[in-house]
Every structure is written in C-alpha cells, then in structure tokens.
C-alpha cells in the first residue's frame, strides 16, 4: 500500500488493518493446519456453489487474506485478483499462493480501480469489517461487469447460542476483533438491494463446520475427523434446504447480480 493510500485510511480502518497485520502469522496457521483448512475450503466452495464460472471469468476476492482461495477454488477462471489492505497477509499470499493467473494487491478496496471489470466478486467474512458497508459495497458493484455477481459470506446474529459463543470468544481470544458486527439475513438482503443488486438470495451456511474453520484445534487427527464429519452434515443440510434453516446457521451467504443493462 503506498503512503498516500495508507494516509487516507479512517480510524476504524487503521485499527482493523493493524489488527490483521499483527495477527497475520496466527491467521496463516488456519490455512496451513489441515483440520482447519478443510473447513475453510468447504466454506468457500459452499458459498460459491450456485455461481457459474468459466475459463473466461475474471474473479476478484475482496479481503483475500493470505490468498488460500486460489488453492481451494475448484472452478476455472481467466484471472483472479485478491485485494487486502494487510501487507502482512498479502506477503503470505505471494509466498504461499502465487500462481500464473493469480495476482495479489495490497490496497484498500474502496480505492481500488482496476483497468478491467470482473464477472465474479466474492468476499468471505469481510463486509462487516467495513465502517461504511453501503458506500464500500456500492463501489464494489462498480467493479462488476453488467450481469456480474457479488457473493458475500457473513457471520449472522439470529442464533442466540452462536452469539453467546462469539461473545465468549471475544473475551478469550485476543486475536479476535472486538468490534465485530453481525447482520441479520434480512439486513444483508436490504443492503444488497440498496446498492442496486438484483435477484438477491440470502442462504444459510455453516451449521456444524464453522468453528473448525475459525480456530486451530488439537489433537490434529481427531479434530480432522470431526471437521470432516461436520462438513458432511453441513453438505446434507445445505442440500435439503438453505433458506428456512438460515436463522440457525453460523453464517449467511448473500448472492446478487448487477443488472445486464
Ligand atoms: C476476517 S478477515 C477474512 C480474510 C479471508 N477472507 C478469510 O476468509 O480468511 C477480513 C479481511 O478483510 C480485510 N479487509 C477489511 N477491510 C478491507 C478493506 N477496506 N480493503 C481491503 N481489505 C480489507 C482484512 O485485512 C482481512 O484480511
């Protein structure tokens, strides 16, 4: 990130960026530990399940962290760009996930102006870090081609049991951001519609597997088996019905399209 861009960060962004720079080695561990990375891969792939990609698709990941989506994605693309304002995480992305069609950029997304627009834009656990969700999401929509799709996977607040566990984690885990905002599924839908996205769908994601994606638990092999079992259960639930069960899920996935004209 150049000094002019760094200078333009809001106080909230400075604090958030500093947190991710400080915890970047710990953050990286989640994608390096197999018992955790399988659940992280599952979260990404289930979020993108209903989105079509092909060999011509240009894909942007907002808040790409250490760039492991490049390793996890099981769909073709012509170009992947990952943008994150944490230099620590972008350095890891370049070290661990460099690939010919992938590029990682250290920038604040609200200032990112690519030469070419994108067919698919996705973000996993990022939207709630923005201090101006509507303003920044509107900017993100300008980066889409007509007919392009935005996918956001977000923690949601409908389930009181999950909210209790999150509050406990805020108290116990110093690397967990203490100004987390969680949206209700209907808030995410309203936000998408407010920025002009069409055919908006909000689905539940992660009923059992999410804790395995968030914390590196041990012993490794026992946790790996439990993590795989939880992914199997989630796949089953998500196949049966995503919408009516979304209120008890850890996360919600918003999918919305930019108008073709
Ligand atoms: C909770 S982490 C999620 C990282 C990654 N998507 C994952 O699932 O591991 C949120 C990420 O968003 C990035 N971020 C937040 N606001 C941003 C902004 N305005 N511009 C660029 N990156 C941002 C942070 O640096 C952080 O890496």
């Amino acid at each position: 990130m150049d000094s002019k861009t760094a200078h333009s960060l809001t106080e909230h962004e400075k604090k958030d960026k500093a947190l991710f720079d400080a915890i970047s080695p710990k953050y990286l561990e989640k994608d390096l530990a197999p018992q955790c990375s399988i659940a992280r891969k599952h979260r990404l792939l289930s979020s993108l399940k209903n989105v079509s990609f092909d060999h011509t698709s240009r894909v942007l990941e907002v808040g790409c962290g250490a760039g492991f989506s490049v390793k996890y994605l099981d769909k073709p693309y012509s170009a992947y760009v990952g943008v994150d304002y944490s230099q620590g995480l972008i350095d890891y992305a370049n070290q661990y996930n460099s690939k010919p069609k992938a590029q990682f950029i250290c920038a604040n997304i609200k200032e990112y102006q690519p030469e070419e627009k994108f067919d698919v834009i996705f973000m996993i656990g990022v939207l709630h870090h923005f201090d101006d969700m509507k303003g920044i999401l509107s900017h993100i929509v300008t980066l889409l081609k007509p007919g392009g799709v935005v996918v956001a996977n977000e923690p949601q607040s409908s389930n009181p049991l999950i909210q209790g566990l999150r509050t406990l984690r805020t108290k116990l885990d110093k690397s967990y951001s203490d100004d987390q905002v969680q949206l209700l599924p209907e808030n995410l839908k309203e936000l998408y519609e407010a920025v002009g996205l069409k055919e908006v769908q909000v689905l539940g994601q992660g009923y059992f597997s999410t804790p395995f994606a968030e914390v590196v638990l041990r012993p490794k092999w026992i946790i790996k088996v439990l993590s795989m079992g939880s992914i199997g259960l989630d796949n089953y639930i998500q196949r049966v019905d995503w919408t009516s069960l979304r209120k008890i899920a850890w996360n919600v996935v918003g999918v919305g399209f930019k108008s073709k004209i």
Side-chain angles (χ1 to χ4, degrees), residues 5-248:
T5 309
H7 198 66
S8 69
L9 293 170
T10 63
E11 284 310 309
H12 168 89
E13 288 167 345
K14 276 185 201 156
K15 192 175 159 212
D16 194 64
K17 175 185 163 2
L19 172 78
F20 282 103
D21 279 333
I23 65 170
S24 55
K26 196 159 179 221
Y27 216 86
L28 174 73
E29 276 177 36
K30 301 188 203 186
D31 289 291
L32 295 181
Q35 69 273 36
C36 192
S37 69
I38 48 171
R40 295 172 73 72
K41 178 173 178 177
H42 163 76
R43 174 164 62 190
L44 175 74
L45 298 187
S46 56
S47 303
L48 295 173
K49 196 174 161 187
N50 297 331
V51 176
S52 32
F53 286 53
D54 66 30
H55 288 96
T56 65
S57 303
R58 283 179 49 76
V59 179
L60 169 67
E61 180 173 9
V62 178
C64 64
F68 280 82
S69 300
V70 165
K71 212 159 254 164
Y72 301 152
L73 274 172
D74 61 351
K75 299 184 184 195
Y77 52 78
S78 68
Y80 162 100
V81 179
V83 173
D84 201 294
Y85 59 21
S86 161
Q87 185 67 56
L89 288 169
I90 288 294
D91 289 346
Y92 284 134
N94 283 316
Q95 183 182 342
Y96 286 89
N97 293 308
S98 144
K99 273 206 178 159
K101 289 183 195 166
Q103 184 193 6
F104 298 106
I105 298 174
C106 186
N108 188 337
I109 193 62
K110 71 186 189 193
E111 288 171 359
Y112 175 56
Q113 292 290 358
E115 279 171 19
E116 235 187 291
K117 305 220 177 210
F118 295 91
D119 302 280
V120 178
I121 301 182
F122 69 90
M123 50 198 138
I124 309 292
V126 178
L127 199 55
H128 65 282
H129 287 269
F130 299 156
D131 48 8
D132 172 14
M133 281 195 219
K134 188 175 166 202
I136 301 181
L137 191 59
S138 298
H139 168 66
I140 288 171
V141 172
T142 68
L143 308 180
L144 270 182
K145 291 182 191 170
V149 61
V150 179
V151 178
N153 182 316
E154 281 294 298
Q156 62 114 6
S157 57
S158 309
N159 186 331
L161 177 65
I162 290 176
Q163 281 307 92
L165 291 170
R166 283 198 179 112
T167 309
L168 188 66
R169 186 175 169 202
T170 316
K171 305 221 177 310
L172 299 178
D173 184 351
K174 293 274 169 291
S175 67
Y176 194 51
S177 155
D178 59 4
D179 58 357
Q180 297 259 348
V181 180
Q182 272 103 41
L183 299 164
L184 289 166
E186 48 274 31
N187 300 146
L188 185 59
K189 188 164 193 288
E190 281 159 18
L191 182 65
Y192 265 47
E193 287 172 349
V195 299
L197 290 166
K198 310 281 180 218
E199 297 167 56
V200 177
Q201 260 195 305
V202 178
L203 307 163
Q205 192 282 318
Y207 296 87
F208 296 96
S209 64
T210 302
F212 296 101
E214 287 299 325
V215 186
V216 182
L217 298 165
R218 294 196 165 80
K220 184 166 146 185
W221 294 109
I222 294 174
I223 298 296
K224 190 170 176 192
V225 171
L226 292 174
S227 184
M228 284 162 72
S230 71
I231 291 169
L233 280 171
D234 277 4
N235 278 333
Y236 180 73
I237 297 171
Q238 287 167 189
R239 199 169 323 125
V240 178
D241 187 350
W242 292 40
T243 315
S244 62
L245 288 177
R246 68 184 187 187
K247 282 202 177 296
I248 60 164

